[in-house]
Amino acid sequence: MASSASASAARSATSSTRDLTVLLLGSGGREHAIAWKLTQSSRLSRLICVPGNAGTRLLARSLSQTSLKIDHVTLEQRKDNNGALCDLAKAQSVDLVVVGPEDPLVQGVADALREAGIACFGPSALAARIEGSKVFAKALMQECGIPTARYASFRDYATAEAYLHGSGSGGVGQDKGKDEEGKANNVDYPVVIKADGLAAGKGVILPNSTEEARMALRSMLQDGAFGSAGNEVVIEERVNGVEISLLCFSDGKTISVMPAAQDHKRALDCDHGLNTGGMGSISPVPFVGPDEQEQLASLILHNAVEGMARRGCPFVGVLFAGVILTSNGPIVLEYNCRFGDPETQVLLPQLESDLLEVFLACTSGTLDQMELQWKKDTAFACVIAASKGYPESYPKGLLIDGLAEAEASGALLFHAGTRLVTEEAEGSVSSGGQRRFALRPSVLTNGGRVLAVVASGRCHDEAVRNSYFGLQHIRFDGMQYRRDIGRRFLSKYRLRVAILGSTRGTSSLPVLEACASGALAAEVCVVLSNRSAAPILEKARTHSIPAVFVSSKDRTREQYDAELMSVLDEFSVDVVLLVGYMRILSNGFVDRYEGRLLNVHPSLLPAFAGGMDLNVHQAVLDSKVAETGCTVHLVTREVDSGPIVVQKRCSVLPTDDANSLKTRVQALEGVALIEAIRLFRACRGSLFPPPTLEGSEAEALTYAQSGVSIDAGNQLVQMIKPFAKSTARVGTAASIGGFGSLFDMGAAGYSGEDTLLVGSTDGVGTKLLIAQQTNQHKTIGQDLVGMVVNDVVVTGAEPLFFLDYLATGHLDVSQASDVIEGVALACKQCNCALVGGETAEMPQMYSDNKYDVAGFAVGAVRRQNLLPRLESLCAGDLVIGLSSSGVHSNGFSLVRRVIAHSGLDWDSKCPFPSDHQFIKDELLRPTVLYVKEALTAMNTGKVKAAAHITGGGLLENIPRVLPDHLGVSLDMSKWILPPVFAWLRKAGSIKSPEMLRTFNCGIGFVLVVASEDAPNLLELIRSTNSSMHCEVIGTIEQVDALSGSGADPESTVKADQVLVHSIKW
């Protein structure tokens, strides 16, 4: 997956097939995601965003060096907005218009464009009524046999209010206001009040009482709260269950279904707070398998498209159904005539097919000729960063920090309410009222939902974790976000359990103890009772669990249960257990917790249903059955008849009476409840349909299911054995795959007391992020070897053998093989045997697409050849510098910051002279291996000291091999400075001292030699490697003689033992 929404869109930007201009209408996160995906098309030549946002503008900046062009246009508002868009499309020779939001579609923009001869991806005004009119959508569903909630529609308040109270009818729809016998229908179910038309996402009201429902009707039908959108209203049955989003592409007759997604609408955790446009999403939905999705799509999407065609308004575009899964099957809540937001942000990254080609197939009626490809075995999660106060009033113009870091973490960022500031501008204001100055390029908040942070993983745990990891880098004043996106799909999430009981609650004790000990991944967050002195409340207090008595005095069953639901809402409960609860629940309560309400009954249901406590056990004894037990079942409107979840059995003994039998059955009830809670977790938050238990066995877990593939590890070992074998040298005595690696020092020519062993270890650092984000891993192996063996050679030692370590969240055999092949090739160049290594697959420790590497080398040197020879060093010695290939493997945290600050990405063209076209290739140049050249010089006995220029640069590495009284004076005019360093300094405004102590600045290795030996050694090095640039770059001086005082700090830099002069960038 691309690392950011602006980072990898240019993969095919130089294709000669680019021939299409596309106009994209919209400015939200959905439109940024569409733009990002469109730029990956080989057909796209130019994209015009109208008006776009900061995200699409950053995308344009990242592609500025490619043949793909992105422009932004803001249309002047006028009476005929459709005409203005048509004029723009004609003037710009647009081939296709893609409409993001619903309002223009409902207003007929697609019709206007088609009449002007311009292709449009989006439905006609007639077809867009499926979202623009709730009444139209309801009638269509009724006509096509698509399941939807009971409803009636009204145009005047009096009729609607009378229907609500059962004193009249007059509604239009499935529920005409009368029952089968023609009597007035009293609405005995919770309702939803919906404005018929578009109301900016605010036209759906969920009243909690009849009075609230009446107020909603009055505000729409009498007070005109939603203008013409509320001229007609729908009163609809409120249904409970698990909501999902189903979307498909349609060309008017054929559909192609996208993976199911799930939105999180409420503003606050645990589905509290006001409704929003969406605070996060996940996809695919774990509990909707391929077969079920196909059935749902046929019933809900295909039937709707067919019905629209029959009505003479074929639907071309994206059809989006909001569906709720209930115990009675799926129910369609609503249809939308466009991509969802934030569903789009987790759907388009899954699409492997060319999105532009899909749009063209839809507009040309040829979708049946395409088979769309989607990523497999990958989950996606999206978390929305929103402004403080959203969805109500919120500030704008706040500076957003951390975008580059979030993208570097591997997350995709899709902008919604953002604005790009391209020049220094005063005007951003912090929440504390202080004015800020925005630096260019800067991104400011400009809406309620600001950013979508999207990440992937092999499972939803990883996808959610990676998304939140990306989000933690984002900062702006007052930022708010939900912390529970996809929580029910997380294996480590602790279920929140409530218990209702009227008696002792003995069966609840095992549950309380299992939660307290951690044996059960759940917590009992509240215990409620209808009896103030119920012992179950005291058990709760003993376990420090809130114990709540709810009095039933002077309350109807519905009123009492409404109070219970209010308490349960406060505790954000996932599942409710009934343990000895002596009240009959109202239909409203049962419906509200459908699929999440469990009762334990003291018999093997359906036998002995309807009884309570000792009466049940006595009935068992009277029936002379040989076996009894307990049943945990889902509660439905019919008493003791819900689906069975768990049953536990015991024998009926000849000596049993009702009390002894109760004691033995009660011991099973706690075990059964614990098993039911575990099954609830396994079903990810709903037990509809309940799992099949009879005759089944628990699935045997494997190491692979935990995220570690032994097979992949074995495959990698077999792949890399030839690489290791190719590095064999004299002394090698082992092969890859054993427990340890052997090396014969005597055979290698190192034996006796005068031999010293030299060990070194190192890694590659954050250069790895570039390799991982660009999927280019073959040079990393040389970096790893170079960082280690060059350090070994500094001592005068010959590197003998090397071991590597690769750690990852998910072992990608091809990726790991590329890395280790690079290690082997580098070892071969150094005559250093690759004798072994370790590959560690650690799920949850690393995200799937991340890995880290470390290397370990051992070399040998005879004692008399050990460097540095401190006693021989003196003022007047010369320093020979061996050139670097570029940045090598140090300083990449600063490099990445400069790239981000410059508005570039790894696919941008090099902004400095280079034989590579793209920045990524320049920065991934491998570290130079200095073993051959350095050892050739050292074997003459003329080298006094050597230094490998790594982290710390020239200022800190050379003094490591000098005595305290000596220093070095370096003349920077003596060597060739690679252009990348001059560009980094300028682009990042980095001062000369910082450059010299961070980067190698063109010199990767130095040798200190006597002045008279320098000419011969230079000639020897050049004859060993004619492509190696080497020069005398400085002299050894007394520390007291080094002086840089009074000089320009940018042209002369003085550190403790180093003076660098003649600096010219």
Side-chain angles (χ1 to χ4, degrees):
M1 193 177 94
S3 63
S4 75
S6 61
S8 67
R11 285 193 295 270
S12 57
T14 59
S15 171
S16 60
T17 60
R18 294 190 179 279
D19 58 353
L20 296 177
T21 296
V22 176
L23 186 152
L24 175 60
L25 182 62
S27 62
R30 167 183 52 214
E31 287 74 35
H32 184 192
I34 294 171
W36 169 77
K37 194 65 183 177
L38 282 174
T39 57
Q40 296 172 24
S41 171
S42 61
R43 296 290 307 278
L44 187 67
S45 173
R46 183 184 179 205
L47 179 64
I48 304 171
C49 298
V50 182
N53 60 26
T56 57
R57 283 175 164 78
L58 289 172
L59 182 61
R61 290 169 65 96
S62 72
L63 297 171
S64 61
Q65 302 298 315
T66 72
S67 61
L68 177 56
K69 187 176 182 183
I70 301 181
D71 294 317
H72 288 78
V73 176
T74 301
L75 280 180
E76 254 184 67
Q77 291 296 313
R78 67 189 205 194
K79 268 191 174 182
D80 181 17
N81 285 331
N82 291 348
L85 189 67
C86 289
D87 291 344
L88 174 64
K90 286 180 181 178
Q92 299 298 324
S93 300
V94 168
D95 297 291
L96 175 69
V97 174
V98 178
V99 183
E102 64 276 13
D103 275 339
L105 293 168
V106 172
Q107 298 300 322
V109 70
D111 305 86
L113 288 162
R114 290 181 184 122
E115 287 172 11
I118 302 164
C120 177
F121 180 79
S124 66
L126 287 177
R129 286 181 298 167
I130 199 167
E131 178 172 2
S133 170
K134 307 294 189 301
V135 175
F136 174 87
K138 283 287 191 181
L140 178 71
M141 286 186 266
Q142 198 170 352
E143 172 191 311
C144 298
I146 298 169
T148 188
R150 290 181 286 175
Y151 79 100
S153 61
F154 303 89
R155 289 183 174 275
D156 68 274
Y157 173 75
T159 310
E161 200 269 346
Y163 165 77
L164 195 64
H165 291 282
S167 57
S169 59
V172 176
Q174 287 175 313
D175 190 346
K176 301 293 176 55
K178 296 190 177 183
D179 63 18
E180 291 84 352
E181 299 178 1
K183 297 177 182 178
N185 181 12
N186 184 18
V187 179
D188 63 348
Y189 49 78
V191 299
V192 182
I193 310 295
K194 296 182 175 181
D196 175 53
L198 299 179
K202 300 178 181 178
V204 177
I205 297 176
L206 283 69
N208 292 315
S209 65
T210 303
E211 179 56 33
E212 287 186 15
R214 188 187 300 114
M215 290 171 60
L217 289 172
R218 186 182 298 117
S219 69
M220 294 182 191
L221 293 171
Q222 288 189 331
D223 301 338
F226 300 116
S228 60
N231 288 346
E232 189 168 7
V233 300
V234 170
I235 299 178
E236 181 178 285
E237 177 185 10
R238 188 190 306 186
V239 291
N240 294 296
V242 181
E243 290 188 39
I244 63 169
S245 301
L246 282 179
L247 290 84
C248 72
F249 296 104
S250 171
D251 65 358
K253 56 185 186 296
T254 302
I255 67 168
S256 183
V257 184
M258 306 180 205
Q262 188 173 58
D263 186 11
H264 296 64
K265 285 290 187 188
R266 298 281 187 157
L268 306 178
D269 291 352
C270 305
D271 290 329
H272 288 174
L274 298 173
N275 265 333
T276 71
M279 295 298 291
S281 56
I282 60 105
S283 180
V285 176
F287 51 80
V288 179
D291 292 341
E292 185 177 4
Q293 175 160 314
E294 186 176 343
Q295 293 169 6
L296 290 170
S298 177
L299 176 66
I300 293 167
L301 299 173
H302 179 73
N303 283 351
V305 168
E306 276 197 341
M308 300 281 276
R310 284 195 304 270
R311 286 185 169 217
C313 49
F315 189 96
V316 176
V318 169
L319 183 61
F320 166 13
V323 182
I324 189 163
L325 305 179
T326 76
S327 57
N328 297 316
I331 297 290
V332 176
L333 297 176
E334 63 179 0
Y335 282 104
N336 296 305
C337 63
R338 36 70 191 183
F339 277 110
D341 188 343
E343 288 90 350
T344 306
Q345 289 89 317
V346 290
L347 288 173
L348 290 186
Q350 296 182 67
L351 180 64
E352 294 187 328
S353 301
D354 187 320
L355 181 63
L356 181 50
E357 296 285 7
V358 178
F359 287 166
L360 294 172
C362 289
T363 58
S364 63
T366 58
L367 188 58
D368 60 341
Q369 298 175 26
M370 283 195 77
E371 184 175 349
L372 271 63
Q373 300 298 316
W374 301 88
K375 290 184 187 296
K376 298 188 183 303
D377 302 321
T378 306
F380 286 80
C382 164
V383 183
I384 298 293
S387 296
K388 183 178 182 180
Y390 176 76
E392 298 183 303
S393 61
Y394 48 81
K396 294 183 181 180
L398 304 177
L399 190 65
I400 305 173
D401 292 319
L403 297 177
E405 290 86 349
E407 291 180 342
S409 76
L412 280 163
L413 300 185
F414 292 119
H415 293 239
T418 59
R419 178 167 61 91
L420 187 66
V421 179
T422 55
E423 296 181 1
E424 183 170 302
E426 181 179 356
S428 62
V429 183
S430 72
S431 58
Q434 296 179 335
R435 300 193 69 79
R436 292 180 175 174
F437 289 86
L439 302 175
R440 60 178 180 185
S442 296
V443 179
L444 309 180
T445 65
N446 198 42
R449 290 189 298 168
V450 176
L451 287 166
V453 181
V454 179
S456 66
R458 275 186 309 161
C459 62
H460 290 84
D461 293 61
E462 291 179 345
V464 170
R465 183 176 63 253
N466 292 343
S467 183
Y468 278 108
F469 180 71
L471 181 71
Q472 74 181 15
H473 299 285
I474 305 295
R475 300 174 299 279
F476 58 86
D477 289 346
M479 184 178 82
Q480 66 179 43
Y481 58 92
R482 281 183 57 162
R483 292 166 172 81
D484 64 343
I485 300 302
R487 71 172 187 173
R488 288 183 180 170
F489 308 115
L490 304 184
S491 61
K492 293 185 179 180
Y493 171 65
R494 292 174 63 83
L495 284 173
R496 295 180 63 79
V497 178
I499 298 176
L500 305 186
S502 304
T503 56
R504 294 182 179 277
T506 304
S507 302
S508 67
L509 270 177
V511 176
L512 299 178
E513 290 166 358
C515 290
S517 68
L520 185 61
E523 58 178 320
V524 177
C525 49
V526 65
V527 174
L528 301 99
S529 181
N530 59 315
R531 297 178 180 175
S532 60
I536 193 172
L537 293 178
E538 188 55 38
K539 285 183 174 64
R541 296 185 187 103
T542 301
H543 285 79
S544 302
I545 295 168
V548 180
F549 161 62
V550 179
S551 174
S552 59
K553 186 177 180 181
D554 300 327
R555 285 175 169 165
T556 66
R557 182 183 300 168
E558 288 72 20
Q559 289 171 336
Y560 181 82
D561 283 359
E563 179 64 22
L564 282 184
M565 287 188 281
S566 175
V567 175
L568 293 173
D569 283 345
E570 290 179 16
F571 286 92
S572 305
V573 199
D574 292 316
V575 62
V576 180
L577 307 182
L578 305 182
V579 181
Y581 189 59
M582 300 300 185
R583 286 181 60 88
I584 301 298
L585 294 167
S586 65
N587 288 341
F589 190 98
V590 173
D591 292 345
R592 173 72 178 278
Y593 291 97
E594 182 179 48
R596 302 189 289 139
L597 185 59
L598 297 171
N599 179 53
V600 59
H601 185 80
S603 76
L604 296 175
L605 292 176
F608 310 104
M612 289 188 178
D613 202 26
L614 288 174
N615 292 334
V616 175
H617 300 297
Q618 189 59 54
V620 169
L621 293 170
D622 294 343
S623 70
K624 308 297 184 183
V625 295
E627 189 178 52
T628 187
C630 67
T631 302
V632 176
H633 66 95
L634 288 165
V635 177
T636 59
R637 290 189 175 194
E638 292 74 34
V639 175
D640 290 343
S641 63
I644 293 172
V645 178
V646 175
Q647 288 189 324
K648 295 295 178 183
R649 301 169 184 269
C650 65
S651 299
V652 179
L653 303 177
T655 56
D656 272 331
D657 59 17
N659 282 305
S660 66
L661 192 57
K662 173 183 176 179
T663 300
R664 289 194 298 109
V665 170
Q666 210 166 49
L668 299 174
E669 291 177 356
V671 177
L673 285 168
I674 290 172
E675 188 171 325
I677 292 170
R678 286 182 173 140
L679 282 169
F680 184 90
R681 284 181 52 80
C683 292
R684 302 302 197 187
S686 177
L687 284 171
F688 275 122
T692 302
L693 299 178
E694 293 297 328
S696 66
E697 295 183 359
E699 179 186 7
L701 295 178
T702 66
Y703 207 7
Q705 290 172 331
S706 303
V708 180
S709 174
I710 296 173
D711 292 338
N714 291 336
Q715 181 186 356
L716 177 64
V717 169
Q718 296 307 313
M719 289 180 68
I720 65 178
K721 276 185 176 180
F723 304 153
K725 187 176 181 180
S726 71
T727 70
R729 56 158 290 161
V730 175
T732 307
S735 61
I736 294 288
F739 286 99
S741 301
L742 305 178
F743 192 89
D744 187 335
M745 296 291 293
Y750 294 96
S751 60
E753 295 181 357
D754 68 336
T755 295
L756 298 174
L757 294 181
V758 179
S760 180
T761 182
D762 208 336
V764 179
T766 60
K767 185 175 186 176
L768 286 175
L769 288 173
I770 306 177
Q772 291 160 12
Q773 289 163 18
T774 61
N775 197 30
Q776 296 180 202
H777 311 281
K778 290 199 171 185
T779 59
I780 292 301
Q782 180 169 328
D783 283 313
L784 182 61
V785 173
M787 293 299 291
V788 179
V789 298
N790 288 340
D791 282 355
V792 170
V793 172
V794 162
T795 65
E798 176 190 5
L800 299 178
F801 60 86
F802 189 92
L803 299 99
D804 64 78
Y805 175 82
L806 187 149
T808 181
H810 165 60
L811 179 57
D812 182 325
V813 173
S814 174
Q815 181 188 81
S817 177
D818 280 352
V819 173
I820 297 170
E821 181 181 7
V823 169
L825 290 172
C827 284
K828 192 172 182 179
Q829 289 183 54
C830 301
N831 194 29
C832 180
L834 175 58
V835 296
E838 169 71 5
T839 302
E841 189 170 25
M842 298 187 283
Q844 288 84 52
M845 182 70 74
Y846 296 89
S847 58
D848 274 0
N849 59 341
K850 296 292 187 294
Y851 64 87
D852 197 5
V853 290
F856 313 87
V858 171
V861 61
R862 299 194 183 282
R863 192 180 300 274
Q864 63 269 25
N865 296 329
L866 183 66
L867 298 178
R869 299 204 302 271
L870 295 178
E871 70 287 350
S872 70
L873 289 166
C874 61
D877 287 341
L878 299 183
V879 178
I880 295 175
L882 280 63
S883 63
S884 71
S885 61
V887 184
H888 282 186
S889 300
N890 293 100
F892 274 89
S893 294
L894 181 54
V895 169
R896 291 183 298 108
R897 189 66 181 265
V898 173
I899 297 293
H901 180 75
S902 302
L904 302 175
D905 60 47
W906 310 130
D907 288 312
S908 297
K909 287 189 175 180
C910 284
F912 48 83
S914 172
D915 54 2
H916 286 300
Q917 183 178 7
F918 300 110
I919 288 179
K920 62 185 178 185
D921 299 313
E922 173 65 35
L923 295 178
L924 286 174
R925 286 183 191 268
T927 302
V928 174
L929 303 170
Y930 296 103
V931 174
K932 187 177 178 181
E933 296 78 12
L935 286 180
T936 298
M938 291 171 182
N939 288 339
T940 66
K942 303 298 185 181
V943 175
K944 298 183 177 184
H948 182 200
I949 310 304
T950 58
L954 292 163
L955 298 186
E956 296 187 9
N957 282 289
I958 300 177
R960 294 166 65 181
V961 297
L962 298 178
D964 291 342
H965 68 282
L966 294 179
V968 60
S969 175
L970 300 177
D971 182 348
M972 200 163 168
S973 69
K974 298 297 184 180
W975 73 85
I976 299 171
L977 181 74
V980 62
F981 293 112
W983 180 82
L984 285 168
R985 178 183 177 276
K986 183 177 180 181
S989 300
I990 305 172
K991 301 296 185 183
S992 291
E994 190 67 17
M995 287 291 297
L996 290 166
R997 72 173 186 175
T998 303
F999 302 113
N1000 63 63
C1001 295
I1003 297 297
F1005 202 91
V1006 300
L1007 303 171
V1008 181
V1009 302
S1011 59
E1012 63 272 17
D1013 295 325
N1016 290 336
L1017 288 174
L1018 284 171
E1019 185 178 345
L1020 180 62
I1021 293 170
R1022 290 166 183 158
S1023 66
T1024 303
N1025 183 354
S1026 60
S1027 63
M1028 174 70 70
H1029 294 289
C1030 55
E1031 299 289 346
V1032 172
I1033 62 169
T1035 59
I1036 301 299
E1037 307 281 353
Q1038 293 288 337
V1039 168
D1040 295 343
L1042 297 175
S1043 175
S1045 60
D1048 178 0
E1050 287 303 299
S1051 61
T1052 301
V1053 172
K1054 170 69 168 62
D1056 288 344
Q1057 288 178 267
V1058 182
L1059 175 70
V1060 184
H1061 61 89
S1062 304
I1063 300 172
K1064 189 173 182 181
W1065 301 101

